[in-house]
Amino acid sequence: MSEVTELSNFIGGQWRPAICEHWIEDYAPATGEHIARIPCSSSEDVDDAVEAAMDALGGWAALSILERAKWLDKIADALDARGEEVAQLESLDTGKPITLARNVDAARSVANFRFFAEQGREFESETFEMSDATNRVLYKPVGVAGLITPWNLPLYLLSWKVAPALLMGNTIVAKPSELTPMTASLLAEVIEDVGLPDGVFNLVHGNGLDAGAPLTSHPDVDLISFTGGTDTGREVAKAASSGFKKLSLELGGKNATIVRSDVDIESMMPSIVRASFLNQGQVCLCGSRILIHESIYDAFVGSFLTAVTDMIVGDPADEETVLGALISQSHRDKVLSYIDLAEQEGGEILCGGGAPVGIPEAFENGFWISPTVIDGLAPDARCAMEEIFGPVVTLHPFSDDQEAIEIANMTDYGLAGSIWTSDVEAGGLMAEQIDSGMIWVNCWLHRDLRVPFGGVKNSGVGREGGRWSLGFFSEAINICVKH
Ligand code: TXE
């Protein structure tokens, strides 16, 4: 039994409980054990955090972008020094395998700070000359930034927002998911240790309604960057509309993995399996619908099932584990309900469908589902159109590229997708016709942080990444001086 860690809010450089002194309990997904308790913050705590951020704004905005870039380097160095601790905490708090927490979550969190520090050093604003005047573009901070993040990639996604927000001179109130609070608190510890001025970064733990909602509607919050579910994103957008806050929404996905007839199945298979099940399928970029050309359907499915059933599901702390537990009992129940629905819709469960057999006793109270492959569903079945957000994929044949594109574009989402083919030109042409924010050809989650990241339709509003983040986290002001 691990001891229960009591976490605090970090406001104005001070660690403190919620004013109401209520708590939210945090559980380890792999064992169901109670591992932490966090402040159940309310609007009073949010008010204090926003006030601290406002008080710190002038001093922080007055620094040059180069000075702020140096602060990002300090945070990156201090976070890197605690990288293994980040990985262990993230794996414990999310149920994801330690190898994933180490290689993706911990490593990418450091990389996010380093990347935006470099973006700050390379940053140049524009000048536009006229015959009789000069236009100079200035990038000013937006002000107080409210950052709200989900439970699937906790520190990875929080750092993705914190780094550019700080670089462009904003101060921050961060509200991480109540399901995965631990690494957000570690980031606040790191920020305190490097001596970032009080109030520049504030952390408010709590649930969506009591802490998240007051942040999105707060009159002194100037910007909201939200990552989470589409339904919640709708609520956030409504709340943020008061006062016309700057808004970025990274929401859900129902991404297609398109396998053309000319693909080299064996060489692409490990990547296609990873795209299907990384982080137990709890990544909005996962390919949860696999569209396979009819001529290779049986060969592909046979090879895919072999690879899927070979994946080791189990103890997240074991270096050999490929899939860990789902984030919570209620999320597990939601995913299982979709598997039941799939059978009602005429689907056939080719593998998985429930808890893995042989889970050791220590993990019997964890939130487990084996990787599940469902065949035989119509492409417009609910399980093929709605986001399940678990280790579940549906398989669908197509006869030609046009049909694959039509199926891929059928959902209300438009976040990402991948196309696998030996004809990269044809793959590129298909990619241009997919209604999504990001398409990979013969790769998946191959990330250059300079590119625009975001979705269309129900997958979100706006783009972050590289200069898109710098633009979002600043207000471009034009000064025109007549000669
Ligand atoms: O989201 P929720 P979850 C999507 C993913 C899935 C979902 C999983 O596809 O659908 O997010 O994350 C807070 N006002 N993405 O279930 O419930 C809540 O406390 C203000 C897409 O956590 O929306 C948490 O901190 N805040 C993404 C955060 O919102 C509220 C990648 C998210 O919670 C709130 C990751 C409210 N009314 C997940 N209600 C991408 N596209 O990159 C809740 N919250």
Side-chain angles (χ1 to χ4, degrees):
M1 184 70 181
S2 49
E3 80 279 358
V4 175
T5 305
E6 191 164 286
L7 300 178
S8 300
N9 289 336
F10 183 65
I11 297 174
Q14 302 299 316
W15 296 96
R16 46 184 268 200
I19 291 167
C20 68
E21 304 235 325
H22 292 159
W23 299 89
I24 297 172
E25 309 309 329
D26 179 28
Y27 299 90
T31 60
E33 279 181 343
H34 179 203
I35 55 174
R37 57 196 308 214
I38 65 171
C40 184
S41 303
S42 65
S43 56
E44 292 174 289
D45 305 287
V46 171
D47 290 348
D48 287 354
V50 172
E51 188 177 343
M54 290 171 72
D55 291 347
L57 185 55
W60 185 248
L63 297 182
S64 70
I65 193 166
L66 293 177
E67 288 168 315
R68 294 193 293 260
K70 284 185 190 139
W71 278 108
L72 298 190
D73 286 329
K74 287 180 186 172
I75 294 170
D77 292 343
L79 202 53
D80 197 22
R82 297 180 67 175
E84 183 57 20
E85 188 184 349
V86 169
Q88 295 291 339
L89 272 185
E90 206 71 298
S91 176
L92 174 67
D93 214 3
T94 62
K96 71 177 71 187
I98 184 63
T99 49
L100 180 63
R102 193 174 289 137
N103 301 332
V104 172
D105 298 72
R108 178 58 197 283
S109 299
V110 174
N112 286 343
F113 282 102
R114 292 208 196 289
F115 169 74
F116 281 108
E118 206 45 48
Q119 289 279 300
R121 282 185 275 275
E122 294 168 4
F123 183 75
E124 287 182 4
S125 56
E126 300 85 357
T127 302
F128 299 97
E129 294 296 348
M130 300 166 77
S131 59
D132 62 348
T134 297
N135 294 277
R136 179 164 63 88
V137 181
L138 212 54
Y139 287 84
K140 290 186 172 179
V142 180
V144 173
L147 310 181
I148 301 176
T149 43
W151 45 257
N152 59 334
L153 297 154
L155 190 56
Y156 173 125
L157 289 170
L158 179 58
S159 59
W160 181 239
K161 298 175 188 294
V162 168
L166 291 179
L167 180 72
M168 301 313 284
N170 305 283
T171 53
I172 290 169
V173 178
K175 209 297 294 174
S177 173
E178 57 278 26
L179 298 176
T180 52
M182 301 183 97
T183 50
S185 280
L186 186 147
L187 177 62
E189 288 172 10
V190 160
I191 282 173
E192 181 186 38
D193 291 347
V194 301
L196 198 71
D198 291 349
V200 171
F201 174 86
N202 302 280
L203 175 66
V204 176
H205 286 293
N207 64 41
L209 290 182
D210 296 324
L215 184 59
T216 54
S217 59
H218 197 292
D220 296 322
V221 170
D222 306 296
L223 171 153
I224 294 289
S225 176
F226 171 82
T227 297
T230 294
D231 292 345
T232 308
R234 214 167 265 121
E235 295 307 310
V236 169
K238 284 179 202 161
S241 64
S242 65
F244 299 102
K245 294 174 174 50
K246 262 194 121 171
L247 182 64
S248 167
L249 298 172
E250 298 288 359
L251 306 177
K254 188 70 178 184
N255 312 305
T257 298
I258 299 173
V259 185
R260 297 182 81 239
S261 61
D262 59 1
V263 74
D264 174 344
I265 292 176
E266 291 316 315
S267 69
M268 300 292 187
M269 189 53 71
S271 300
I272 292 174
V273 170
R274 180 171 175 264
S276 301
F277 295 105
L278 187 76
N279 200 40
Q280 301 73 246
Q282 297 168 144
V283 181
C284 51
L285 302 170
C286 277
S288 47
R289 297 180 291 154
I290 306 181
L291 316 185
I292 308 138
H293 191 273
E294 59 194 10
S295 64
I296 59 163
Y297 198 83
D298 295 343
F300 177 88
V301 173
S303 174
F304 184 64
L305 287 176
T306 301
V308 170
T309 48
D310 281 352
M311 286 196 293
I312 297 173
V313 183
D315 179 2
D318 185 331
E319 304 276 338
E320 298 303 310
T321 295
V322 173
L323 288 189
L326 274 71
I327 189 66
S328 68
Q329 184 62 59
S330 63
H331 186 62
R332 177 179 185 268
D333 293 344
K334 170 189 162 186
V335 175
L336 288 174
S337 73
Y338 271 104
I339 295 172
D340 292 343
L341 174 65
E343 292 192 288
Q344 293 163 30
E345 292 188 299
E348 180 192 357
I349 311 295
L350 300 184
C351 69
V357 290
I359 277 286
E361 190 181 345
F363 300 99
E364 65 187 10
N365 294 324
F367 317 128
W368 301 97
I369 296 182
S370 295
T372 299
V373 179
I374 300 168
D375 196 9
L377 284 178
D380 62 351
R382 280 187 55 201
C383 286
M385 299 280 276
E386 297 175 18
E387 182 183 56
I388 299 173
F389 212 59
V392 179
V393 299
T394 58
L395 307 178
H396 308 276
F398 66 87
S399 54
D400 58 31
D401 287 357
Q402 206 45 50
E403 186 183 17
I405 291 164
E406 284 162 13
I407 295 172
N409 289 338
M410 282 173 95
T411 73
D412 293 335
Y413 294 100
L415 187 59
S418 61
I419 298 168
W420 305 81
T421 175
S422 59
D423 181 345
V424 290
E425 190 179 341
L429 288 174
M430 282 186 85
E432 291 175 16
Q433 299 173 72
I434 307 283
D435 299 335
S436 289
M438 300 161 277
I439 299 287
W440 284 281
V441 178
N442 293 338
C443 55
W444 179 74
L445 205 59
H446 194 44
R447 291 280 287 119
D448 181 327
L449 304 187
R450 295 170 297 177
V451 306
F453 182 104
V456 298
K457 302 196 285 186
N458 282 2
S459 289
V461 174
R463 295 292 181 275
E464 293 183 20
R467 65 181 175 86
W468 285 270
S469 290
L470 306 191
F472 173 67
F473 285 105
S474 63
E475 290 293 5
I477 310 293
N478 186 61
I479 299 169
C480 177
V481 179
K482 192 130 178 358
H483 296 161

